[in-house]
Amino acid sequence: MGGDPAPRHLVRRLREGMARGVLSFPLTAFHDDGTLDPEGLRAHVAGRLAAGPGALFPACGTGEFFSLDEEEYRTVVTVAVEEAAGRVPVVAGTGYGWAQAARFARIAEEAGADALLVLPHYLADAPQDGLAAQLERLAARTRLPLIAYQRGRVAYSVDALRRVARIPTLIGLKDGHSDLDRLQRLTLAAPDGFLFFNGAATAEIQARAYAAVGVPAYSSAVHAFAPEIAGAFFAALRDADHGTADKLLRDFYVPFVELRDRAPGYAVSLVKAAARLRGQRVGPVRAPLADPAPADLAELRTLLAAGLDLVGAAL
């Protein structure tokens, strides 16, 4: 991470936050006609911050980065920065090819973001040299620290990780592949101080397995609609309360994942539907995603009520 004090300071803040709470990935609020709803977004972000996350990651996968234009992106990041007011780090999503990612990076800088989560590139399969060059070219065009996200078409080899870890502003790697053999090799090859994050879908399901290979920090989509459940699970892991963790997994998280897996895109649209069930003004998902089918929505309501009851909360 070089000698730049800014990345070192951010790493320290992220470590402190990750020990305190989950990483929160807020939703992006839309009106029923699909236009951006800044005030709904502001209320949603404020609610997530009130629940005490370790960091805020706006305009990422859960926040439908892929459906935002540049001015909408500016609004989303600006609102997150304003609401956070320096209390927690704000890590904005960016992505596509490096040239377009750099455009979003400039907007995130202007909006006051602390860092960028570099989402997997679009469409093309790429060799390891190309994956490394993508990060190098983006890093050369932004002062913001970077966290690489390997998922989908992006999976770094040990050699590629060693190469990109020499980028002074690359501070960490988020993993969404859940290949623990590969991940263990990467954690062992990384330099001291390099951050790793569990970015599996519904990451709580695999949180203990990730922690066993040195990756205890995780992102929580559940925090977007039920911070009571997300917080109770985080506390159970922190306190080695395996009975509570198992109960939450068995009676809420596993059934939620089974429902999530019924249709493509439910990893976001179910989360947004659950937030609406809690009275949050987040609106529908944008195409190409689609809101849950009525039967699935009814099942979600029952499951959410049961999950909240487990932690002494109500729908």
Side-chain angles (χ1 to χ4, degrees):
M1 289 171 294
D4 188 337
R8 291 203 309 273
H9 175 65
L10 179 62
V11 167
R12 185 164 55 252
R13 290 186 67 203
L14 283 170
R15 284 195 185 281
E16 291 169 354
M18 285 154 29
R20 186 175 62 245
V22 300
L23 306 176
S24 180
F25 284 67
L27 299 158
T28 296
F30 299 118
H31 294 292
D32 287 342
D33 64 0
T35 57
L36 188 68
D37 180 0
E39 293 312 308
L41 170 67
R42 189 175 294 278
H44 172 71
V45 170
R48 299 322 92 202
L49 288 164
L56 200 66
F57 287 69
C60 294
T62 304
E64 297 178 77
F65 167 79
F66 48 84
S67 75
L68 300 175
D69 68 27
E70 292 180 8
E71 285 310 306
E72 290 170 333
Y73 175 85
R74 183 186 301 277
T75 299
V76 170
V77 179
T78 298
V79 166
V81 170
E82 289 174 351
E83 290 300 314
R87 289 175 289 168
V88 297
V90 175
V91 183
T94 191
Y96 306 114
W98 62 263
Q100 186 64 33
R103 291 174 64 92
F104 282 102
R106 284 195 293 274
I107 295 169
E109 283 191 40
E110 293 164 2
D114 297 294
L116 297 165
L117 178 66
V118 185
L119 301 169
H121 65 269
Y122 168 71
L123 189 60
D125 291 322
Q128 293 294 316
D129 283 350
L131 296 179
Q134 165 94 333
L135 290 175
E136 290 165 346
R137 293 187 181 192
L138 176 57
R141 289 161 174 80
T142 179
R143 63 173 182 80
L144 291 178
L146 306 178
I147 299 169
Y149 189 6
Q150 63 170 16
R151 188 170 182 164
R153 296 175 179 273
V154 177
Y156 295 97
S157 68
V158 166
D159 286 344
L161 179 70
R162 288 181 175 134
R163 172 177 163 180
V164 298
R166 293 194 292 269
I167 299 171
T169 54
L170 185 72
I171 63 172
L173 175 71
K174 182 182 179 187
D175 175 74
H177 284 296
S178 304
D179 180 343
L180 297 182
D181 180 287
R182 174 191 286 264
L183 184 59
Q184 182 70 91
R185 295 168 192 266
L186 294 175
T187 61
L188 293 172
D192 290 342
F194 198 79
L195 299 175
F196 284 90
F197 308 87
N198 170 2
T202 315
E204 286 91 342
I205 289 286
Q206 300 183 62
R208 286 186 289 201
Y210 269 79
V213 296
V215 185
Y218 61 90
S219 57
S220 176
V222 171
H223 192 269
F225 63 87
E228 305 97 327
I229 298 173
F233 185 80
F234 179 87
L237 287 189
R238 181 196 59 207
D239 299 338
D241 181 355
H242 300 300
T244 297
D246 286 346
K247 185 170 183 58
L248 288 168
L249 288 169
R250 184 184 306 111
D251 296 342
F252 175 75
Y253 282 101
V254 169
F256 180 76
V257 167
E258 290 172 350
L259 182 58
R260 181 203 72 196
D261 289 346
R262 286 188 190 167
Y266 268 19
V268 176
S269 58
L270 271 184
V271 171
K272 215 165 199 185
R276 293 195 301 272
L277 289 172
R278 302 290 315 273
Q280 295 182 46
R281 182 175 141 186
V282 294
V285 292
R286 271 185 175 173
L289 301 182
D291 288 319
D296 293 338
L297 186 60
E299 188 171 336
L300 175 64
R301 178 187 291 273
T302 300
L303 175 60
L304 179 55
L308 290 167
D309 186 62
L310 290 173
V311 298
L315 185 61

